[in-house]
Amino acid sequence: METFKAFAEAQAITLGDLTLESDESQLALYGKLTLLADQPSQERLDHLIALLTQAKADLAAAIARGDTSGPAPDKPLPSVKNPFA
């Protein structure tokens, strides 16, 4: 199994069509992962669970270190009157 460390140097890993990308400030998951009732799907799911478990530990370690280098959370856009109404 490949090593993947979230919230560290930039890297990506792909499982099927699902991609996990991480850098020092964020972890992104996108795509899809189709699982069937077969052994290869079970192995892919086990791999995903291991990656997410490690990412959770990496996130906890980053928080404990006080790493807050990430971007500010998205703020909602202000409401505007609909010009077409």
Side-chain angles (χ1 to χ4, degrees):
M1 184 180 328
E2 299 174 60
T3 22
F4 182 81
K5 185 154 178 69
F7 306 100
E9 64 184 42
Q11 57 185 314
I13 191 167
T14 303
L15 293 169
D17 292 330
L18 180 68
T19 301
L20 288 78
E21 287 183 349
S22 183
D23 62 21
E24 293 86 7
S25 63
Q26 63 185 359
L27 172 65
L29 286 78
Y30 58 89
K32 68 177 185 172
L33 179 62
T34 302
L35 300 169
L36 306 173
D38 61 7
Q39 186 63 35
S41 292
Q42 183 177 4
E43 291 169 4
R44 282 191 296 275
L45 184 57
D46 288 343
H47 191 179
L48 178 60
I49 291 169
L51 289 169
L52 293 176
T53 301
Q54 182 60 50
K56 182 178 178 182
D58 295 340
L59 175 58
I63 291 169
R65 287 191 307 268
D67 291 354
T68 56
S69 58
D74 292 337
K75 294 181 183 176
L77 296 174
S79 301
V80 295
K81 184 176 177 177
N82 183 347
F84 302 105

